[in-house]
Amino acid sequence: MKLKFLLNGTPKEVYTEAGENVRDLLYRIGINSVRNSDDGYAFAGSDSILLDGKVVSSMLLIAAQIEGREVKTVESLSKHGMLSPVQSAMVDAGVVQSAYNIPAAALILTELLDRVPNPSREDVKDALSSVFIRDSGYEQFYVAVDLAVERRTDPEYKNTVPPEFKEDLKFIGKVKRKVDGAKLVRGERLFVEDRREEGSAVLKMLRSPHASAYIKSIDTSEAEKIPGVVTILTHKNTPDTWYTQAGQGFPEPSPYDRRLFGEKVNHVGDRVAAVVADSYEIAGLALSKIKVEYEVLKHIMTIDEAMAADSPLVHNGEIIYEAAAPDDLEESNKNFDPRDGKIIYQFPIGGDPRKNIAASVFDGIGDVEKGFAEADVVIEREYQPMSHIQCTPLEMHVIYTKMDGDRLIMHCSTQVPFHVRRITASVLGISENKIRVIKERVGGGYGSKQDILLEEVCAYATYSTGRTIFHQYSRKEEFESCSTRKPMKIKVKIGAKKDGKLTAVYMDLKANAGPYGAHALTVPMNACSKSLPLFLCDNFKFDVVTYYSNASPTGAYQGYGAPKGSYAMQMAAAEMAEELGMDPLDFLELNRVHEGSMLEILKCLGEGREGVAAPAVSCGLGPALKEGREMIEWGKKEVSDDPDVKIGKGVVIIQQGSGLPGLDQSNATIKMLGDGTFMLFSGGADLGTGLDTVSVKMAAEVLQTEMTNVSILSGDTDNTPFDTGAYASSGTYFSGSASLLAAKDMKEEILKAASKIMDEPVSDLKIEYPGKVVGKKDELTYAKLAWHTQAGEGQGQLIGQGHFTTDDAAFPYGAHFAQVAVNIRTGAIKIQKYYALQDAGMPINPELAQGQIFGGVLKSIGHTLYEGLVYDEKGHALNTDLRSYGVPMIGDVPEDFQAKLVYTDDPFGPYGAKSISEIATNGAAPVIANAIHDATGVWMRSWPITPEKILQELGKI
Amino acid sequence: MIKEVLKPASLDEAVKLKSSDNYYLSGGTQVNWTPAMEIRRSNGMPEIEKVILLQGLLSEDIKKEGSALIIGAGSTLQNIVDSPLAPDALKKAAGYIASRNVRNMATIGGNIAANRADSYIIPCLIALKADVETVGKGIMCVDKYIREAKDSLIINIILPEVEGACVIDVSVKSSAAYPSVTTAVRISKRDAVVAVGCVSDHVIRLKDVEAGIVNGSLSGESLLKAVSDSINPQSDLAGSSEYKKYLAGTMIAHSVELSRKEGLV
């Protein structure tokens, strides 16, 4: 049909099927701001448009429904590249992070302000009720609306909500626009899907309906006959190369236990075959024609099942060690089944696949038995944060691959472009120089894009066929085949003297890796290494075992095991305080780490290498606890007017790391351009967190030039130097430091070159704002310096380099306080107050730092109260959509939600900065559980803490 | 995927076009909604390929006629939330749908016709003693419509003046989650109506419980137990059967208590 409608004020005539989905139609005609995050579930709001002035979900509309009507998208808001007032306010408020559906939010807030000129908090909440924001936690949207309202009368009105730091610095610690904020909020073509060209093929995956099975036979002949099918990949025609999908530094502390397609499938949703075809319709038809005969095996889903003596083995393939093979390897390999393939360990990590153990480690300091003997009180508790928590990025996993001559080009949404290149090269059997990985803007990662989950399949398909191919997960595939948090069972035994002083801590941690062992050692270790060192005690012991199962795959997720370790340890501390009759906050104060404390336990918590004890050189716990105590009026009992509602308060302390000293590496280069401006090349991968802005600020501050004079290219393996990637809270500390070092190197180059031109010694020269070299006799602008150095007789373009590695650790700390109201009649839980006070050293981007705290906390509120995959008896996940899975929305934001930045001056971080984001996920579970206990007297020792579980604990059901 | 869109010029024509292989399309939040399509697939029902577009045919007005309130079936749930004429209970029920996008699209007629067990609207309409006016099958109460006539096209919802107090309640894990239980209770000096959602394959009315409330034999714990004993919900993602039985009981008992304590009745 010929469809006529008004699009952003312009009459449009489009040929379409009457039943075409409106989102698809709009995207097809170039409106790329309208995106798909939920496959038509009308939950995430990325597909929002205005239809006759009202906000609606375009994926719930067919073309015939917009005939003769007016459609507006975010493209209507900004003219000639300028931002609208609402868009400007959103960037300034710090809500533009990964930003996949930020254009939709801009459209919605614009509609709100047209409808309600001075909206209340409830109005804003209602307007954003259709938008799922995973990264920044909603709170700053209220600030954005206030900014937009104020700027009607005062266009210069500034965001004064975030604190600023260090008056002597121009850009560091100041509220400055995120460098990619404008293009993100405008909805420009920045994501992988936007690179897709006409004529490219698509890839669809045939996935296993069984949790464990051998593929007895697979017949693709009928499917291959379908016109438009390019190729079909199975275990029969793909490399027998084994690898880990974990995007970690090589050699990885994760077993190489999967290949592109295996003869055995190990979970519901595992890969069976991939069809590459000219269209989704053809690919779908081809999938239906593939005949697979399975030998279905008994499957195991839980840690207990995996541990059982008669448990089926998830991996019974040949075990291979690249180094330091154990003596009993031959015995272990006596009865391996070749259909199971291989498990290759780069070095020993305590794995024993014949007992379903993917990795293990046992260690400690001091003598815990002696410590328990010396204790006046010993308690032992088990905590079960067992739920499979999903990262749920708004942008579903995606890859676009094509050939450039004999080189493979990969457009990726990844946290680890250089690991993608290395692993893909290994799988394809080609050298790294034949591959270019371009990290596009990433619409949410949270750890799940640290792993190589679909990139290598698409890469192989393109490399073997020459075709350009697009592949994106559906939301269901995100849940079934992506990577979730590792469920854990954690037993904590602690001893303390009557005065509260800890004498011994023992943590017995068992984790469920799912079918493959990505991060099998390091995630559970991190649960220990980010929870135990918060306490000063001479005797620590930990036993960590990670088991294989046939549940959903697991991997990295923001916090990387720490939220679960923190939950167990902080709960045990609170339970011990109760046993001792102590105030839990006093107990924490008595036993906590202080500035200068030596963290001895870290010497047995290396990530696959020998650890080292490290000092807590900077630690903001003291001021955080002091301020939080006052904010929440600790000790004051709150009473509800409703007799069914009981109110309680909780407190926890948390920590994380800043990258992996001794393991990570970052590099950057910076070039002076012909007019004295700069181009910065960072290997770092900005996930929307503001890392590019951090890097630009480093350069602008050192070189005393405006941030607009520094442009950045990052995460492109052809054009930027190596970086291990954005994980382990490494962005600011590692990649930011590399940019800082590159800028300092450039500064030296500038002074040396200026010295020759100005005929003054370097010692007499200094750099001054705005972008000039000042000597005792004269001054030289960067523009003139560039002309001199790049002219025919010049010394050559000025280039600075930065290379950052370190053995020094910078630990971020925090104290989280919560006040909850529990309805003991219904079990309903309401978070009335949540105060997150975090020491991030010097926050380079204060507004973005606060946004990441809000986002991390809200995510973990979701994990604590709502989220978790549920399986049927056959291993199928039942809640593979965002709503039934249970992500938090704006209606779940605590009534009083505050993120406070506690300043400390760390000597190791760039300008004193430490990491900010991951740590924020460590507090919610224990602090909410502790507050529930204060309110009701029950200890909630498993996730998620649902109303039903509360009622069970209260004996109501 | 929808392959054919029929565009009738009138409601009568729409009804004439209706057959077993096509569906009315109004707001789109049911017919075009992926979960609804998946439920059809899992139940072995054919894909919806042909729809009758009702756009522009159904009234979107909300108006008083005598003591009754007439709500056009094409009125969106957001229209109801915004209407100064709609009863508070109904506005609240419409507002329970967390997404403004959905409220802007979903029509009240479509919501009733969809007959979802977890509808927020249907329990409230039953409690308010609402009727629906259909094309061809006349006027009937909502309770009867969802049991006997759900394929007929609704054109108006007729609400009598609210007698007594109507209290609605919902239990959800998170603000946007599917509800575990939805309840609506209206009590007057003459009668009581109790409706519960999420405990059967459609919203149900508990007439025995209503009688007990009216004659005073049921209140507090006995009411809770009577409600729990009169339903048999399935365990699902929103909670176990035992949990839903308890919740429905306590929510209804609490609603009754609230009505009486606040002197609403």
Side-chain angles (χ1 to χ4, degrees):
Chain A
M1 67 177 276
K2 191 176 184 181
L3 176 72
K4 292 183 181 180
F5 65 108
L6 201 59
L7 177 61
N8 295 327
T10 304
K12 277 271 171 191
E13 289 187 7
V14 182
Y15 286 96
T16 176
E17 298 293 329
E20 184 176 10
N21 186 281
V22 167
R23 186 264 159 187
D24 294 346
L25 184 156
L26 291 171
Y27 198 84
R28 179 165 63 80
I29 63 173
I31 302 295
N32 43 280
S33 68
V34 185
R35 300 195 184 272
N36 170 24
S37 290
D38 57 23
D39 297 332
Y41 272 67
F43 186 88
S46 306
D47 60 335
S48 297
I49 59 170
L50 293 185
L51 183 62
D52 293 340
K54 291 188 175 170
V55 183
V56 299
S57 295
S58 59
M59 293 189 82
L60 291 187
L61 293 167
I62 58 170
Q65 288 178 280
I66 64 169
E67 173 77 37
R69 301 175 78 178
E70 182 182 20
V71 171
K72 277 192 178 174
T73 65
V74 79
E75 283 79 359
S76 67
L77 301 186
S78 48
K79 296 275 186 284
H80 310 300
M82 300 293 287
L83 297 183
S84 74
V86 168
Q87 290 172 313
S88 298
M90 289 173 69
V91 179
D92 292 340
V95 300
V96 181
Q97 291 195 23
S98 52
Y100 192 68
N101 62 359
I102 275 294
L107 190 70
I108 286 169
L109 292 182
T110 302
E111 185 272 342
L112 168 68
L113 289 167
D114 288 345
R115 180 165 46 84
V116 186
N118 290 291
S120 65
R121 197 173 164 90
E122 281 305 308
D123 291 327
V124 177
K125 191 197 278 192
D126 178 60
L128 291 173
S129 59
S130 311
V131 183
F132 172 43
I133 299 289
R134 193 63 154 169
D135 48 18
S136 66
Y138 293 104
E139 192 62 32
Q140 291 168 312
F141 282 91
Y142 298 107
V143 177
V145 171
D146 288 344
L147 279 177
V149 169
E150 293 292 341
R151 284 176 181 173
R152 284 193 200 124
T153 50
D154 177 5
E156 301 302 313
Y157 189 84
K158 286 195 163 40
N159 179 13
T160 56
V161 174
E164 295 195 329
F165 302 90
K166 287 251 180 183
E167 283 185 8
D168 58 321
L169 299 177
K170 280 193 173 59
F171 310 107
I172 301 292
K174 305 296 181 295
V175 177
K176 299 287 177 188
R177 280 197 175 172
K178 190 166 183 270
V179 296
D180 54 351
K183 60 184 179 182
L184 284 165
V185 78
R186 276 197 298 261
E188 293 185 9
R189 304 182 79 87
L190 301 168
F191 295 96
V192 171
E193 67 202 46
D194 300 327
R195 303 298 172 224
R196 196 173 160 191
E197 297 146 305
E198 191 128 350
S200 56
V202 296
L203 186 150
K204 277 189 92 162
M205 199 72 77
L206 182 67
R207 296 194 176 277
S208 170
H210 305 294
S212 181
Y214 289 117
I215 297 172
K216 287 171 71 177
S217 67
I218 182 163
D219 178 359
T220 59
S221 55
E222 286 301 310
E224 284 164 5
K225 287 177 192 165
I226 298 169
V229 170
V230 177
T231 188
I232 298 177
L233 305 176
T234 69
H235 71 274
K236 289 180 170 178
N237 61 1
T238 51
D240 185 22
T241 302
W242 294 78
Y243 58 98
T244 175
Q245 294 181 294
Q248 299 173 295
F250 178 83
E252 303 94 332
S254 294
Y256 287 20
D257 53 11
R258 79 154 303 134
R259 54 178 286 203
L260 282 174
F261 296 88
E263 199 174 343
K264 185 182 186 186
V265 288
N266 290 314
H267 67 98
V268 170
D270 207 351
R271 300 171 186 165
V272 174
V275 171
V276 178
D278 287 337
S279 73
Y280 280 116
E281 290 71 29
I282 295 169
L285 181 63
L287 285 184
S288 71
K289 301 287 182 191
I290 298 174
K291 294 175 192 142
V292 189
E293 192 182 353
Y294 296 98
E295 177 187 337
V296 179
L297 306 170
K298 190 180 172 197
H299 64 278
I300 51 174
M301 299 296 283
T302 66
I303 292 168
D304 289 341
E305 288 172 353
M307 288 171 65
D310 60 347
S311 174
L313 296 182
V314 177
H315 290 280
N316 191 26
E318 183 184 9
I319 303 168
I320 297 167
Y321 277 81
E322 293 293 344
D327 294 339
D328 63 351
L329 183 59
E330 200 176 322
E331 180 66 23
S332 298
N333 277 330
K334 255 186 179 171
N335 297 311
F336 79 84
D337 190 324
R339 294 175 298 175
D340 282 47
K342 296 170 186 165
I343 304 177
I344 303 168
Y345 286 102
Q346 298 303 302
F347 52 88
I349 56 170
D352 185 352
R354 302 304 178 249
K355 292 180 179 168
N356 281 326
I357 295 174
S360 67
V361 60
F362 311 93
D363 211 337
I365 58 168
D367 182 343
V368 286
E369 291 312 321
K370 180 168 163 282
F372 287 128
E374 290 170 0
D376 295 316
V377 177
V378 176
I379 63 166
E380 188 171 352
R381 301 284 187 270
E382 185 169 271
Y383 304 97
Q384 298 200 26
M386 292 293 289
S387 42
H388 279 269
I389 306 290
Q390 229 280 342
C391 296
T392 66
L394 269 297
E395 176 201 37
M396 297 177 280
H397 283 66
V398 60
I399 174 71
Y400 185 58
T401 51
K402 59 186 179 185
M403 296 303 296
D404 177 12
D406 66 345
R407 299 189 75 219
L408 176 69
I409 312 298
M410 303 174 70
H411 294 270
C412 296
S413 177
T414 179
Q415 299 173 222
V416 287
F418 291 90
H419 294 331
V420 171
R421 182 176 68 177
R422 174 176 51 82
I423 292 172
T424 303
S426 164
V427 172
L428 271 58
I430 61 177
S431 55
E432 289 191 26
N433 69 310
K434 297 297 182 190
I435 299 175
R436 178 183 178 190
V437 174
I438 303 166
K439 181 204 74 73
E440 305 290 354
R441 291 292 101 182
V442 177
Y446 318 123
S448 69
K449 290 178 182 170
Q450 183 186 342
D451 290 355
I452 287 75
L453 298 173
L454 69 176
E455 290 88 347
E456 80 280 27
V457 178
C458 210
Y460 181 78
T462 285
Y463 196 74
S464 58
T465 66
R467 286 292 298 267
T468 300
I469 303 171
F470 178 77
H471 177 36
Q472 184 159 32
Y473 274 5
S474 65
R475 183 54 70 184
K476 188 169 191 283
E477 286 177 306
E478 283 285 315
F479 281 103
E480 284 188 341
S481 307
C482 193
S483 56
T484 62
R485 268 207 204 291
K486 295 183 194 307
M488 294 182 188
K489 281 173 73 163
I490 307 174
K491 222 177 258 178
V492 180
K493 183 177 178 183
I494 56 175
K497 305 293 278 185
K498 279 180 190 163
D499 65 1
K501 198 70 190 157
L502 280 172
T503 59
V505 177
Y506 168 56
M507 189 176 269
D508 174 16
L509 190 154
K510 294 179 174 61
N512 185 344
Y516 300 107
H519 309 269
L521 177 71
T522 44
V523 162
M525 280 190 83
N526 213 48
C528 300
S529 66
K530 302 299 183 285
S531 62
L532 301 181
L534 276 161
F535 294 91
L536 298 176
C537 183
D538 293 333
N539 306 301
F540 281 111
K541 182 171 184 283
F542 58 86
D543 296 340
V544 169
V545 185
T546 305
Y547 292 90
Y548 283 117
S549 76
N550 300 113
S552 299
T554 67
Y557 190 171
Q558 190 174 358
Y560 205 72
K564 296 190 169 181
S566 173
Y567 170 62
M569 190 59 214
Q570 294 293 318
M571 288 286 285
E575 295 206 46
M576 173 57 91
E578 186 187 49
E579 289 287 328
L580 293 166
M582 277 183 81
D583 178 290
L585 179 45
D586 292 344
F587 184 84
L588 293 177
E589 282 284 18
L590 180 68
N591 287 293
R592 73 172 172 84
V593 65
H594 289 81
E595 206 154 83
S597 301
M598 180 58 77
L599 310 177
E600 296 288 346
I601 181 70
L602 293 180
K603 67 187 173 195
C604 42
L605 282 163
E607 294 225 350
R609 62 164 198 154
E610 195 161 339
V612 288
V617 177
S618 64
C619 172
L621 274 179
L625 286 168
K626 182 172 182 293
E627 190 177 354
R629 180 192 286 267
E630 290 164 7
M631 286 170 69
I632 206 154
E633 298 183 277
W634 186 258
K636 182 183 170 192
K637 188 67 186 167
E638 309 290 341
V639 180
S640 169
D641 294 338
D642 184 342
D644 289 332
V645 173
K646 306 298 176 194
I647 297 172
K649 296 176 184 178
V651 57
V652 295
I653 53 176
I654 51 175
Q655 76 151 96
Q656 200 76 21
S658 296
L660 302 172
L663 287 170
D664 284 349
Q665 177 176 137
S666 293
N667 294 275
T669 58
I670 185 167
K671 295 177 184 174
M672 181 180 273
L673 307 184
D675 59 356
T677 58
F678 298 93
M679 191 68 211
L680 177 60
F681 300 86
S682 163
D686 189 338
L687 311 179
T689 54
L691 178 57
D692 282 352
T693 307
V694 167
S695 290
V696 167
K697 281 186 173 180
M698 297 289 168
E701 194 71 57
V702 169
L703 299 170
Q704 288 295 294
T705 189
E706 279 299 322
M707 284 172 64
T708 50
N709 289 335
V710 182
S711 291
I712 185 166
L713 178 70
S714 62
D716 177 337
T717 58
D718 266 14
N719 293 306
T720 65
F722 175 77
D723 190 292
T724 35
Y727 56 90
S729 294
S730 63
T732 296
Y733 194 64
F734 272 82
S735 306
S737 289
S739 296
L740 176 64
L741 293 175
K744 286 181 173 175
D745 191 39
M746 170 59 78
K747 182 179 173 181
E748 282 185 29
E749 293 298 316
I750 287 171
L751 291 175
K752 276 193 280 182
S755 168
K756 288 181 196 163
I757 295 163
M758 296 167 74
D759 197 23
E760 292 192 63
V762 167
S763 57
D764 285 352
L765 301 180
K766 59 183 178 181
I767 278 176
E768 280 190 6
Y769 181 84
K772 60 186 179 182
V773 181
V774 177
K776 288 189 172 171
K777 296 184 286 187
D778 202 357
E779 61 181 46
L780 182 69
T781 64
Y782 288 173
K784 284 184 180 167
L785 178 62
W787 181 80
H788 278 289
T789 54
Q790 293 178 28
E793 293 179 350
Q795 67 166 79
Q797 186 176 25
L798 299 187
I799 299 175
Q801 293 192 347
H803 158 74
F804 185 77
T805 57
T806 186
D807 285 324
D808 295 320
F811 302 107
Y813 290 98
H816 285 196
F817 290 79
Q819 178 176 308
V820 306
V822 183
N823 188 314
I824 57 170
R825 183 177 56 79
T826 63
I829 304 156
K830 185 84 188 165
I831 302 174
Q832 296 179 320
K833 297 178 181 176
Y834 199 108
Y835 303 144
L837 300 98
Q838 290 189 201
D839 151 27
M842 153 72 90
I844 306 294
N845 306 321
E847 77 284 23
L848 296 175
Q850 284 186 314
Q852 287 185 42
I853 296 174
F854 285 127
V857 169
L858 189 62
K859 255 190 227 98
S860 49
I861 287 174
H863 305 166
T864 306
L865 299 179
Y866 319 128
E867 298 181 37
L869 286 174
V870 179
Y871 298 93
D872 69 11
E873 69 282 359
K874 291 186 174 174
H876 294 85
L878 298 173
N879 49 345
T880 55
D881 67 274
L882 294 167
R883 188 176 177 194
S884 56
Y885 166 76
V887 292
M889 300 287 276
I890 194 167
D892 304 302
V893 171
E895 291 166 5
D896 178 4
F897 195 13
Q898 298 190 43
K900 293 272 182 183
L901 296 165
V902 177
Y903 176 80
T904 57
D905 189 8
D906 190 87
F908 303 129
Y911 285 101
K914 299 193 278 191
S915 76
I916 186 71
S917 171
E918 285 199 278
I919 180 177
T921 59
N922 295 347
V927 79
I928 291 169
N930 288 344
I932 289 171
H933 173 261
D934 186 45
T936 65
V938 299
W939 291 107
M940 301 305 296
R941 300 192 182 103
S942 73
W943 290 4
I945 303 171
T946 61
E948 184 170 358
K949 283 187 189 170
I950 296 260
L951 292 173
Q952 283 165 348
E953 288 294 326
L954 289 170
K956 303 266 182 179
I957 54 173
Chain B
M1 181 182 166
I2 293 168
K3 293 177 178 162
E4 188 175 356
V5 179
L6 306 172
K7 296 180 179 175
S10 67
L11 287 171
D12 286 340
E13 190 185 340
V15 172
K16 280 182 193 149
L17 287 169
K18 183 77 182 80
S19 65
S20 59
D21 70 340
N22 60 30
Y23 298 83
Y24 293 125
L25 173 60
S26 184
T29 58
Q30 291 299 325
V31 173
N32 296 335
W33 190 42
T34 301
M37 298 178 204
E38 287 176 351
I39 290 167
R40 291 180 66 83
R41 274 178 216 134
S42 65
N43 290 338
M45 296 166 72
E47 299 279 323
I48 295 177
E49 295 188 344
K50 196 188 289 187
V51 293
I52 303 165
L53 191 61
L54 299 176
Q55 201 162 290
L57 300 180
L58 292 169
S59 166
E60 298 175 22
D61 292 343
I62 301 175
K63 61 187 179 192
K64 276 272 185 192
E65 278 188 11
S67 62
L69 184 72
I70 311 297
I71 302 175
S75 178
T76 65
L77 300 182
Q78 187 59 44
N79 284 349
I80 291 168
V81 171
D82 294 336
S83 167
L85 298 174
D88 288 344
L90 186 60
K91 287 159 77 106
K92 191 173 169 188
Y96 278 147
I97 291 168
S99 164
R100 189 179 177 91
N101 280 15
V102 173
R103 293 198 306 270
N104 274 334
M105 303 176 79
T107 61
I108 186 166
N111 190 285
I112 300 167
N115 192 22
R116 289 177 57 90
D118 59 358
S119 168
Y120 300 114
I121 304 294
I122 293 173
C124 182
L125 291 174
I126 291 173
L128 293 172
K129 288 204 160 179
D131 288 329
V132 292
E133 181 185 356
T134 65
V135 179
K137 290 196 176 168
I139 295 173
M140 68 189 87
C141 67
V142 171
D143 191 21
K144 185 175 179 191
Y145 177 87
I146 61 170
R147 284 183 285 110
E148 299 174 14
K150 56 184 184 283
D151 285 338
S152 53
L153 181 59
I154 301 170
I155 52 173
N156 282 313
I157 292 86
I158 305 161
L159 282 171
E161 192 166 9
V162 179
E163 190 180 351
C166 184
V167 179
I168 63 162
D169 201 0
V170 58
S171 176
V172 284
K173 266 195 285 194
S174 61
S175 64
Y178 291 101
S180 301
V181 173
T182 61
T183 59
V185 175
R186 189 188 53 77
I187 311 172
S188 71
K189 291 195 172 86
R190 288 193 306 137
D191 67 348
V193 180
V194 174
V196 193
C198 308
V199 297
S200 179
D201 57 359
H202 57 80
V203 173
I204 56 172
R205 188 173 164 184
L206 306 181
K207 291 193 173 172
D208 290 345
V209 170
E210 292 168 5
I213 294 170
V214 172
N215 67 27
S217 64
L218 293 176
S219 65
E221 283 297 315
S222 64
L223 176 54
L224 188 159
K225 186 170 183 315
V227 172
S228 297
D229 290 348
S230 59
I231 57 177
N232 187 24
Q234 299 292 305
S235 296
D236 58 22
L237 292 169
S240 68
S241 174
E242 186 192 10
Y243 171 62
K244 291 182 184 182
K245 282 162 84 83
Y246 167 81
L247 262 187
T250 192
M251 287 162 66
I252 288 166
H254 187 65
S255 296
V256 170
E257 189 186 326
L258 268 184
S259 306
R260 293 198 163 131
K261 193 187 290 180
E262 295 177 12
L264 297 171
V265 180

